[in-house]
Amino acid sequence: QICLSLVKLLFYLAHSPLGSIVLLDFQPRQFVMVDGNLKVTDMDDASTEELSCKEDNDCTLDFPTKSFPLKCSVVGKCEGINEKKNLFNAYRYFFTYLLPHSAPPALRPLLSDILNATGDLRYGINETLRAFEKVLHLYKSGLYLQKRPLLLKDYISLKGFRTVEGEDYKCWPSYSHLGCLLSIHSAEEAAAICNSQSQCQSFIVTQQRTWTGRPLASFQSSWTGLIPDTNAVVYIKRSASSGERL
């Protein structure tokens, strides 16, 4: 969410009515999240000036660990230097820390491609935004889910119940520090996640939604202590419930 919001912001800056705008003091502290969108808190160091040049050799974009040769345009400006400076800063301050983590395994290669392409400046802001929107579409639609055996049949579902909340086993990347709370596309995906975790004996699909509209599921090591909750459905492994009265 943070990276996509940042890319949308940089897309606007690259195509603003004032021309391509560069953020000269590009630091994480210069941004804040407002209603799920990243905003720039300080525009004092923004500029529409692009480096003047006479030849391509005048257009080297330098960073502490990398340098990029750019082209000198016919009007004597370094082509796309503001856009590329913003994008590489987004890569080194945000993408490298946020993109490699927490995505479903099937989407990680696509995010790795974005990471590598922006780190080498092979992508401009237009290509980067398209790549992010493709990943978002796959994520929201569930198209990233690979065909696999149907596992939900191995669970008993109880509508209108949930288990008593409390500290349980933890997983990554959980939305709660007290247990294992993950976003899912469907109960079928939740069953696959539960099967992949040795501690998991049950899960609850809640009415909570993430910013993409995906429901949250709580994975638990037991299913005892059921209490009524009209907005929840608890799924219990048949193997865990065998011999017990529901």
Side-chain angles (χ1 to χ4, degrees):
Q1 181 182 15
I2 293 171
C3 291
L4 175 62
S5 187
L6 176 59
V7 168
K8 288 181 177 179
L9 173 61
L10 297 187
F11 179 86
Y12 173 79
L13 294 179
H15 302 284
S16 84
L18 300 175
S20 183
I21 298 174
V22 63
L23 302 176
L24 298 175
D25 186 19
F26 198 116
Q27 300 283 340
R29 64 173 179 267
Q30 300 284 19
F31 300 89
V32 64
M33 290 292 285
V34 179
D35 297 328
N37 295 306
L38 208 66
K39 306 284 187 180
V40 183
T41 60
D42 184 3
M43 292 293 288
D44 289 346
D45 294 311
S47 173
T48 57
E49 291 295 319
E50 292 196 304
L51 187 64
S52 298
C53 57
K54 294 182 178 179
E55 56 184 25
D56 291 349
N57 287 339
D58 298 328
C59 293
T60 301
L61 183 56
D62 290 316
F63 292 96
T65 59
K66 279 190 175 182
S67 295
F68 300 95
L70 304 181
K71 297 288 185 181
C72 182
S73 70
V74 293
V75 295
K77 298 289 183 180
C78 296
E79 286 186 359
I81 191 167
N82 287 353
E83 173 188 328
K84 292 180 185 297
K85 185 177 290 187
N86 284 341
L87 190 54
F88 190 79
N89 278 327
Y91 159 80
R92 67 183 182 135
Y93 287 120
F94 286 89
F95 298 171
T96 54
Y97 297 104
L98 300 177
L99 286 188
H101 311 291
S102 78
L107 292 178
R108 289 174 193 168
L110 296 178
L111 294 177
S112 180
D113 287 344
I114 294 175
L115 192 64
N116 292 333
T118 53
D120 295 334
L121 286 184
R122 287 185 284 109
Y123 279 2
I125 192 62
N126 295 358
E127 295 87 351
T128 303
L129 180 58
R130 282 196 296 268
F132 267 102
E133 288 179 335
K134 176 183 177 181
V135 174
L136 179 63
H137 172 67
L138 293 173
Y139 185 60
K140 292 175 69 174
S141 65
L143 291 173
Y144 68 91
L145 294 169
Q146 301 169 343
K147 290 185 178 180
R148 64 182 76 183
L150 298 179
L151 302 173
L152 199 58
K153 66 182 187 306
D154 298 329
Y155 290 77
I156 297 169
S157 65
L158 294 174
K159 294 182 179 179
F161 289 93
R162 63 176 173 83
T163 53
V164 177
E165 293 183 7
E167 190 167 346
D168 208 319
Y169 78 91
K170 299 173 177 60
C171 66
W172 174 261
S174 177
Y175 282 80
S176 169
H177 68 282
L178 296 176
C180 185
L181 185 67
L182 303 174
S183 78
I184 57 169
H185 177 258
S186 63
E188 186 64 54
E189 183 182 15
I193 293 172
C194 188
N195 275 26
S196 71
Q197 298 173 346
S198 59
Q199 307 100 313
C200 186
Q201 296 298 314
S202 68
F203 62 88
I204 303 164
V205 178
T206 73
Q207 293 298 304
Q208 293 177 272
R209 301 272 170 169
T210 69
W211 66 282
T212 60
R214 289 163 55 100
L216 292 177
S218 176
F219 298 85
Q220 300 179 339
S221 59
S222 69
W223 59 271
T224 56
L226 294 178
I227 58 176
D229 185 339
T230 56
N231 294 321
V233 182
V234 59
Y235 294 83
I236 304 165
K237 278 184 178 179
R238 292 183 184 275
S239 58
S241 64
S242 60
E244 302 284 348
R245 294 186 62 187
L246 293 178

